[in-house]
Amino acid sequence: MTQDKILILDFGSQVTQLIARRVREAHVYSELHPYDMPIADIKAFAPKGIILSGGPNSVYDSDYQADPAILDLGVPILGICYGMQWMAHTLGGTVSPGDQREFGYARVETEDSTLTQEIYDDAPNQLDVWMSHGDKVTGLPEGFRRVGHTPSCPIAIMEHADKHLYGVQFHPEVTHTKQGSALIHRFVLDIAAAKPSWTMPNYIDEAVAKIRQQVGSDEVILGLSGGVDSSVAAALIHRAIGNQLTCVFVDHGLLRYKEAEMVMDMFARNLGVNVIHVDASGEFMRKLAGVTDPEQKRKIIGAEFVEVFQQEAGKRQNARWLAQGTIYPDVIESAGAKTNKAHAIKSHHNVGGLPETLNLSLLEPLRDLFKDEVRQLGVALGLPREMVYRHPFPGPGLGVRILGEVKREYADLLRRADHIFIEELRNTVDAEGVSWYDNTSQAFAVFLPVKSVGVMGDGRTYEYVVALRAVVTSDFMTAHWAELPYSLLGRVSNRIINEVRGINRVVYDVSGKPPATIEWE
């Protein structure tokens, strides 16, 4: 790669990959590597700048130490949270346990510096940031100066301008830090002087070349769900190897309303991609019977998907690869990142856990991309906007939107309720004429396996409950619940209760991420 690059060394933060996303927003290529990446490899990578991530440990934990030689490379370095503490500790400063921890919003008072100049929120020399730390820097290393503080954190920003070394105790990578992107872009574009030459058209060229090199003359089997990720993966791989790609669309009985018809029409008839439609709903439902644990459901669905792919691959003599639409957030939440240091939140059916008996090698061309990057890639590949900007749909489908045991009856009820919700979101616009479907990042219904008493006409009902979930997010790592109009929610509720026999109560989820996840399971 000839483009300028930023290296991110990961100390185990759950939001480290957001740093990569912020760097890429500046059109500069970045890669994430473990904190203990050998210095020889770092030199070979030739980064224009290095960013040290946050992490859950103390700098006094000897297992979480980068090579101090990176501080002598003459390359600009930005330390974030733990990264700042490690830099200060390594260079002779003092890091102490905090007598008052900071988690959440904080206001930093700043002084003019190379990093913060002309970057502020409500007033000059003020930054609204997101903190998440216990330890803090209490003594500066030689040659550094303090350029930011809060009432409980005496050194919130430090810099050694001559050596281009910078540290921030807060997290500029999360959207809660209002000027976070501006600070990261200042470091990447101005301090590190990286050229903004990384774009999706360039990425396509590199990805196509890499796929062709990996695959050669082999055939590839891709599990097509109809969601954004697998659809873009299919388009990219098809661009690279054409008819060597065969997509297997598995109907597991847990799809959205009329999903099978839509997928077959879009890919097989409009894009010329070879798609095999497999109805395996009976086998999926049989294996899910009686299972209530979310993780077990995910594993069963994932294992059954692999089984179907193996069967289809066995019918194709030259098939050697299983392609998946795995993206960065899947890897992060499964603690499957390259460092293996993040704490697992939940497993994803397409990340890890594949059986050793799988006779196919994995091809995951989107593994290092975030959702918004995948959408940009889809547009650059020429896919229809309505396909690329469909709301995400999990690989296990309605299996993780039916709480507890999965039954065909529940799936049928949920499918119809979900369709009504999405239909009303598409048909209702805001004051600017934008549909509420486009105003939300992800929206869906969740089936709750409980019954409540209701009344219809003069009769008593005792039927099921569905919850509506709609969120707004830019990166799917953090999310806010969508403030939908009451009139819209009321109309959705009335339609579901009147049109879906078996449901008599509708509730709305107003939880953010964190502390909740976007999906319920």
Side-chain angles (χ1 to χ4, degrees), residues 9 30 69 75 107 122 144 179 186 253 265 308 321 323 342 353 403 452 488 516 519:
L9 295 182
S30 62
V75 174
R107 171 158 287 181
D122 296 333
F144 280 77
Q179 299 298 327
R186 170 66 56 77
D265 182 70
V308 173
W321 298 85
L403 303 194
S452 70
L488 169 58
E519 299 285 349

Side-chain angles (χ1 to χ4, degrees), residues 1-65:
M1 177 173 294
T2 59
Q3 288 128 341
D4 288 347
K5 297 169 286 188
I6 297 294
L7 172 64
I8 301 164
L9 295 182
D10 180 20
F11 286 94
S13 168
Q14 286 288 346
V15 294
T16 296
Q17 281 82 356
L18 289 184
I19 305 172
R21 184 180 177 277
R22 299 291 175 250
V23 174
R24 294 176 190 180
E25 284 175 350
H27 300 295
V28 175
Y29 182 77
S30 62
E31 281 190 12
L32 181 68
H33 288 271
Y35 62 86
D36 55 357
M37 183 179 184
I39 193 69
D41 293 346
I42 294 175
K43 291 179 179 178
F45 186 79
K48 293 288 288 186
I50 298 173
I51 299 179
L52 311 176
S53 85
N57 298 280
S58 167
V59 293
Y60 302 106
D61 183 345
S62 60
D63 290 338
Y64 282 78
Q65 301 295 322

Side-chain angles (χ1 to χ4, degrees), residues 144-217:
F144 280 77
R145 72 183 185 100
R146 183 186 79 170
V147 294
H149 67 277
T150 72
S152 60
C153 184
I155 304 172
I157 308 175
M158 68 180 193
E159 75 167 15
H160 193 311
D162 292 339
K163 291 187 176 180
H164 304 297
L165 301 178
Y166 303 84
V168 296
Q169 184 55 68
F170 53 89
H171 287 267
E173 68 271 32
V174 301
T175 54
H176 300 73
T177 298
K178 297 179 181 179
Q179 299 298 327
S181 290
L183 290 168
I184 290 177
H185 293 181
R186 170 66 56 77
F187 173 78
V188 170
L189 299 175
D190 297 336
I191 295 173
K195 295 178 182 178
S197 60
W198 189 74
T199 63
M200 277 301 146
N202 290 339
Y203 179 82
I204 291 173
D205 293 339
E206 294 172 2
V208 164
K210 184 177 180 180
I211 292 168
R212 288 173 178 167
Q213 182 181 21
Q214 279 184 280
V215 171
S217 60

Side-chain angles (χ1 to χ4, degrees), residues 194-314:
K195 295 178 182 178
S197 60
W198 189 74
T199 63
M200 277 301 146
N202 290 339
Y203 179 82
I204 291 173
D205 293 339
E206 294 172 2
V208 164
K210 184 177 180 180
I211 292 168
R212 288 173 178 167
Q213 182 181 21
Q214 279 184 280
V215 171
S217 60
D218 296 337
E219 289 189 24
V220 177
I221 303 291
L222 181 141
L224 184 63
S225 70
V228 176
D229 304 331
S230 66
S231 297
V232 174
L236 179 61
I237 297 170
H238 189 255
R239 170 79 63 92
I241 61 174
N243 291 334
Q244 292 171 241
L245 170 68
T246 297
C247 294
V248 179
F249 177 70
V250 179
D251 185 348
H252 49 17
L254 300 169
L255 299 172
R256 287 175 284 198
Y257 184 74
K258 293 188 176 180
E259 182 87 5
E261 296 94 322
M262 184 277 295
V263 170
M264 293 302 295
D265 182 70
M266 188 178 301
F267 280 89
R269 286 178 278 277
N270 293 332
L271 298 179
V273 178
N274 183 25
V275 183
I276 297 173
H277 183 192
V278 180
D279 184 356
S281 57
E283 188 65 13
F284 273 88
M285 290 297 177
R286 186 183 68 81
K287 292 191 175 181
L288 288 168
V291 178
T292 59
D293 179 73
E295 285 295 287
Q296 191 177 355
K297 287 196 294 184
R298 286 176 176 270
K299 287 180 169 59
I300 289 172
I301 292 170
E304 187 61 23
F305 265 119
V306 172
E307 179 65 27
V308 173
F309 294 146
Q310 283 183 301
Q311 292 174 5
E312 292 302 321

